[in-house]
Amino acid sequence: MEAMKSKTVIKQFTAWSYSRYRDYSRCPLFAKLKHLDKLPEGEESPQMARGTLIHKIAEDYLRGAIRGFPAELLAMKKYYEAARCRKGMELEEQWLFDKDHELIGHTFPPEVNDPKNPFAWFDTFNNADWAAWRRIYLRVKMDLNVVDRDTNVLIVVDHKTGKFRDYELESYGLQLEIYAMSGMIKYPDVAGVSPRMWYVDAGVQYGEDLFFPRKDQPRLIKLWDQRVKPMFNDTKFKPKPNNKCRYCGYRKEVDGPCEF
Ligand code: SF4
């Protein structure tokens, strides 16, 4: 009788987001354990919990669900007050694109989405069906976006907590590029995109001088396809020890699966 052969399933990335790209760049094994194996990283840190809370406060304020001005956002008061007056603002959406960079759907936050039908977004674009789930190539989470009616420029804002760090400027730039690229696809009639980060603790708006004109769209798509290619082709996911290993929930010291 022929011995039964066990089949090893080789996992690979089929979709990306900024956080997946960032985690893969930091350490391929870390990205695999977190995003493909979905192993919990351990307890949520106080910083992460606060970030979630601030996002919710900002969203509630901008939606008009909070009357007074929240103390947590005071350092950026003028920006939030001005944003709340804008018409056509969209909050906390996730945009979903396929490999051809076509927008195939979007999700809303749970309070806007239908809680009984978490896949209601399938009906929102192109009569998408279950096959659309497997077509997702890129996910982009937007905190706030609005088209400026005077300039026809899409303004995209990412709420941030914690310190604004000059040495992180490169990663800030990468995130803003993704907002610009996806914003131009989602809004094909805008002249361009002005993406920004609002550091609510530091009182800093980063990116206000940045503008990506419409003609940048193909360049950004090509650039990001090249950047994520190694992540999509990887089947080995080797560990890459780095200066964040000491915080990694998968490290050896906490009985994680990593050898480091
Ligand atoms: S401990 Fe370091 S090398 Fe190991 S998975 Fe975490 S980040 Fe990667």
Side-chain angles (χ1 to χ4, degrees):
M1 201 170 137
E2 202 178 319
M4 280 182 63
K5 288 176 189 164
S6 64
K7 248 188 181 177
T8 309
V9 178
I10 297 174
K11 291 185 180 176
Q12 276 180 280
F13 281 101
T14 57
W16 71 281
S17 61
Y18 174 70
S19 62
R20 287 183 175 203
Y21 172 78
R22 177 201 59 206
D23 292 341
Y24 183 82
S25 304
R26 169 182 158 187
C27 169
L29 177 61
F30 176 81
K32 174 183 179 280
L33 295 171
K34 181 175 172 183
H35 301 288
L36 294 181
D37 298 344
K38 304 207 181 296
L39 278 187
E41 269 186 273
E43 302 261 307
E44 185 181 45
S45 70
Q47 291 86 350
M48 284 167 72
R50 185 163 179 283
T52 306
L53 175 71
I54 296 295
H55 271 73
K56 183 78 178 81
I57 291 170
E59 183 194 346
D60 286 349
Y61 172 73
L62 292 166
R63 266 190 215 293
I66 294 178
R67 274 210 173 153
F69 192 86
E72 293 84 350
L73 307 178
L74 270 178
M76 295 299 283
K77 187 175 182 188
K78 70 174 181 179
Y79 297 103
Y80 281 103
E81 283 184 336
R84 193 151 103 152
C85 297
R86 284 187 182 265
K87 289 201 170 77
M89 194 170 40
E90 291 174 341
L91 300 170
E92 300 292 327
E93 287 195 359
Q94 185 177 209
W95 299 341
L96 306 162
F97 302 91
D98 69 8
K99 188 86 178 64
D100 297 323
H101 306 94
E102 294 282 334
L103 184 69
I104 54 171
H106 63 186
T107 59
F108 302 106
E111 64 270 29
V112 179
N113 215 340
D114 178 356
K116 291 188 192 126
N117 181 10
F119 301 111
W121 61 271
F122 274 132
D123 299 326
T124 55
F125 284 96
N126 305 335
N127 295 320
D129 53 28
W130 285 99
W133 184 257
R134 288 190 291 274
R135 281 174 49 216
I136 296 170
Y137 170 72
L138 166 63
R139 298 165 191 263
V140 184
K141 168 98 173 26
M142 318 296 292
D143 289 339
L144 153 63
N145 58 77
V146 63
V147 177
D148 182 85
R149 293 183 177 196
D150 296 332
T151 58
N152 192 30
V153 167
L154 175 69
I155 298 168
V156 177
V157 175
D158 188 0
H159 313 301
K160 294 282 189 191
T161 47
K163 291 180 184 161
F164 177 84
R165 297 181 169 94
D166 284 337
Y167 62 83
E168 298 264 24
L169 285 180
E170 192 182 339
S171 77
Y172 300 162
L174 293 175
Q175 285 178 72
L176 296 181
E177 269 184 14
I178 295 170
Y179 295 140
M181 174 181 75
S182 54
M184 279 189 257
I185 302 171
K186 168 89 176 3
Y187 294 88
D189 298 325
V190 296
V193 181
S194 174
R196 297 144 194 213
M197 291 172 169
W198 288 357
Y199 277 83
V200 298
D201 299 324
V204 172
Q205 172 173 245
Y206 176 66
E208 60 187 304
D209 301 330
L210 268 182
F211 173 65
F212 293 85
R214 160 77 44 204
K215 68 177 172 59
D216 280 356
Q217 185 183 326
R219 177 183 68 80
L220 291 174
I221 287 175
K222 194 172 169 194
L223 190 62
W224 275 99
D225 277 350
Q226 285 167 350
R227 281 181 182 147
V228 298
K229 203 170 175 183
M231 182 172 96
F232 277 71
N233 289 340
D234 199 346
T235 55
K236 304 220 179 321
F237 301 104
K238 291 189 176 158
K240 184 167 123 186
N242 60 81
N243 61 4
K244 291 196 171 140
C245 284
R246 62 185 184 275
Y247 308 115
C248 179
Y250 308 127
R251 69 191 189 278
K252 192 176 175 183
E253 188 189 345
V254 292
D255 294 329
C258 181
E259 64 184 289
F260 295 100

